[in-house]
């Protein structure tokens, strides 16, 4: 296995992914379209078989995937189990449990004027869908959308991120081997390969990544009128109010922030510490970091690394902002950046300009909740907003006075592990959602069906010519 990983890991970006025939992107899509046209992917039995095979891949091939994630991101095996492999297994189990119910046609009442007749909605697969995934959770963010695409009866192309090359290579090698290779293809490579793919007509595109590429994807999709789901990022704020158990809140914030070395789309980006909580909270954050990662996090087997030099340089350039409370140590050779807390950060500082997407946590001090709400509303709608507050009224106000993809009271990140909740952003943090039943809605079309017998011909009243008697009747009932 090691040898395969090494061979695959050094594959030149842009080289053919497993399962891709000659003919490039056009050939791949044509092959999948031919499969879809046979109707093979429609029966629930086929869908269930694919999901079970994907589940088997995740358990049988866990060592190869764990090794790849360690190579790409220094991810610890426990984090890999919970936030990558186990996550997708949960999503599969939830889908297998509910699939028939989600796919069942729904009867819709028919108005008296149309009786006798029956109306219902049926779920129809879209065809061939494209999933473009990023590097930070390269298994979870590639395979969880795939679960939805297959459960909805589609063929799918997965384009993993070239920035996590070991994981991309393992997925390209294993997916066509475990799944129906004529219905699922993996195309590896960088922007050039994605550009080729985006020239093809897909029936849906789910893209996860940054907003700049999101705009490229949406523009390309518009040429074919292809619907898109954009899973983007942003700066997720954490509000902390006086009266909260600050030590407990700090532990939750530190866990949510420094998981995957801060490279999570739902990670707390910054803290808005209200009414004098900033000082004591910063101390508790430092304590929580030491208790989770030790006094030298570089030696912790549970702490990850920055994905590449470009992101490392981008992040270390932000270290000059505010007053360092803990962290700041870094080593370019190993792309290590210590869990860092910055206090007294100015709202206009560079660290507050863009999504941080790394292990730097600025703490801003704000006088009251009104100022915090205004602060949030003056910026792009975040993927998630978190709050630690003992006040019910604050919860109500945050839910009604701010807009975000999700809200987490008392715990960051965890909302996305509930397959019953939709996962997605709003405004700049994304459009559309997926997970569980929401994936079925994303990857299928809800077709309206009206079925009316020819006899008796009860709609005769609407046929011209419109006599005065007919008009009276029509006006009475419509
Ligand atoms: P990335 O660089 O891996 O890019 C994502 C995908 O876009 C890759 O497959 C890449 O090959 C492709 N791509 C890159 N440039 C392209 C181009 N010019 N044309 C076409 N395709 C191109 O990942 P990233 O964008 O750095 O990911 C980080 C961002 O993603 C952060 O903003 C983060 O918040 C967001 N994110 C969102 C979610 C979510 O579920 N909402 C999850 C993870 C990450």
């Amino acid at each position: 296995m090691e040898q395969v990983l090494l061979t695959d890991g050094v594959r030149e970006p842009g080289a053919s992914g497993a399962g891709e025939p000659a003919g490039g992107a056009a050939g791949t899509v044509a092959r999948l379209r031919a499969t879809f046209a046979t109707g093979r992917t429609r029966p629930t039995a086929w869908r269930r078989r694919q999901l079970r095979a994907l589940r088997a891949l995740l358990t049988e091939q866990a060592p190869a995937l764990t090794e790849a994630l360690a190579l790409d991101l220094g991810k610890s095996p426990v984090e890999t189990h919970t936030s990558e492999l186990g996550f997708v297994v949960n999503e599969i189990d939830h889908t297998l449990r509910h699939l028939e119910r989600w796919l069942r046609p729904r009867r819709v009442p028919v108005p008296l004027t149309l009786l006798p007749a029956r109306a219902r909605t049926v779920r129809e697969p879209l065809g061939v869908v494209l999933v473009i995934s990023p590097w930070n959770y390269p298994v979870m963010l590639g395979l969880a959308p795939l679960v939805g695409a297959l459960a909805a009866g589609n063929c799918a192309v997965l384009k993993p991120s070239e920035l996590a090359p070991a994981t991309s290579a393992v997925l390209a090698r294993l997916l066509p081997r475990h799944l129906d290779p004529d219905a699922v293809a993996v195309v590896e490579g960088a922007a050039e390969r994605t550009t080729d793919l985006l020239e093809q007509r897909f029936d849906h595109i789910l893209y996860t990544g940054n907003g700049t590429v999101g705009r490229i994807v949406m523009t390309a999709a518009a040429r074919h009128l292809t619907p898109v789901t954009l899973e983007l990022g942003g700066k997720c704020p954490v509000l902390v109010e006086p009266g909260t158990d600050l030590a407990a809140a700090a532990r939750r914030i530190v866990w949510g922030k420094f998981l995957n070395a801060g490279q999570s789309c739902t990670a707390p980006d910054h803290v808005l510490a209200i009414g004098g909580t900033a000082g004591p909270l910063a101390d508790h954050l430092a304590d929580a970091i030491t208790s989770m990662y030790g006094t030298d996090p570089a030696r912790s087997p549970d702490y990850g690394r920055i994905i590449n030099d470009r992101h490392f340089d981008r992040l270390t350039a932000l270290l000059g902002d505010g007053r360092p409370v803990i962290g700041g140590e870094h080593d370019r050779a190993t792309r290590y950046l210590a869990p860092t807390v910055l206090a007294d950060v100015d709202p206009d500082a560079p660290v507050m300009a863009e999504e941080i997407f790394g292990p730097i946590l600025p703490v801003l001090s704000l006088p009251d909740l009104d100022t915090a709400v205004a602060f949030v509303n003056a910026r792009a709608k975040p993927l998630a907003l978190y709050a630690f507050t003992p006040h019910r009224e604050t919860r109500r106000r945050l839910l009604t006075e701010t807009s975000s993809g999700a809200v987490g009271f008392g715990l960051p990140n965890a909302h996305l592990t509930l397959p019953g909740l939709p996962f997605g952003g709003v405004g700049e943090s994304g459009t559309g959602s997926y997970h569980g039943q929401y994936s079925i809605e994303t990857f299928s079309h809800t077709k309206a069906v009206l079925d009316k017998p020819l006899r008796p011909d009860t709609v005769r009243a609407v046929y011209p010519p419109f006599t005065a008697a007919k008009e009276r009747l029509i006006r009475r009932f419509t």
Side-chain angles (χ1 to χ4, degrees), residues 132-137 141 159-164 189-192 194-195 198 207-211 213 216-217 230-234 263-266 310-311 355 357 383 423-425 429-430 434:
I132 306 174
S133 61
W135 50 267
N136 62 329
Y137 288 88
L141 295 171
K159 162 56 192 73
S161 175
E162 70 283 9
L163 299 188
E192 211 176 287
T194 322
T195 307
L198 288 173
Y207 163 80
T208 306
N210 67 74
V213 176
I216 294 173
V217 170
L230 299 179
E231 297 281 336
L232 310 178
Q263 302 165 112
S264 306
C265 55
T266 53
R310 185 171 64 82
H311 281 283
E355 177 183 4
F357 216 56
L383 187 57
F423 179 50
S429 56
Y434 74 113

Side-chain angles (χ1 to χ4, degrees), residues 59-260:
T59 47
E60 289 162 19
Q61 303 290 344
L65 289 163
T66 305
E67 190 183 343
L69 287 162
L71 275 176
D72 285 333
L73 285 146
K75 228 173 244 210
S76 80
V78 177
E79 247 185 64
T80 289
H81 175 74
T82 53
S83 62
E84 298 265 18
L85 315 189
F87 183 97
V88 184
V89 167
N90 276 344
E91 181 74 13
I92 292 173
D93 289 347
H94 180 73
T95 304
L96 285 171
R97 210 170 302 129
H98 300 288
L99 188 60
E100 270 75 13
R101 184 164 59 78
W102 293 340
L103 296 176
R104 217 174 280 153
R106 300 218 183 286
R107 283 192 72 156
V108 172
V110 178
L112 272 177
T113 46
L114 270 182
L115 287 175
R118 278 181 311 167
R120 64 190 189 282
T121 59
V122 293
R123 289 241 171 245
E124 174 179 277
L126 295 173
V128 180
V129 304
L130 172 63
V131 173
I132 306 174
S133 61
W135 50 267
N136 62 329
Y137 288 88
V139 172
M140 185 247 274
L141 295 171
L143 299 191
L146 192 62
V147 170
L150 296 175
N154 298 289
C155 295
V157 176
L158 171 64
K159 162 56 192 73
S161 175
E162 70 283 9
L163 299 188
T167 313
S168 172
V170 174
L171 292 175
R173 178 167 61 85
L174 294 179
L175 281 175
R177 214 183 271 178
H178 284 252
L179 301 179
D180 182 340
D182 295 321
V184 178
V186 181
V187 174
E188 290 190 87
E192 211 176 287
R193 279 317 273 290
T194 322
T195 307
D196 289 347
L197 279 170
L198 288 173
E199 275 166 17
Q200 313 308 313
R201 183 177 69 78
F202 286 93
D203 299 292
H204 193 93
I205 300 175
L206 187 147
Y207 163 80
T208 306
N210 67 74
T212 306
V213 176
R215 284 168 173 81
I216 294 173
V217 170
M218 204 167 186
T219 306
R223 284 199 290 272
H224 298 288
L225 287 181
T226 297
V228 293
T229 302
L230 299 179
E231 297 281 336
L232 310 178
K235 290 179 88 64
C236 301
V238 187
L239 279 66
V240 178
E241 270 203 317
T244 302
D245 176 344
L246 294 181
R251 285 194 294 274
R252 301 260 169 108
I253 295 170
V254 164
W255 169 75
K257 174 74 183 186
F258 298 106
L259 176 82
N260 203 26

Side-chain angles (χ1 to χ4, degrees), residues 86 290 439:
T290 309
S439 290

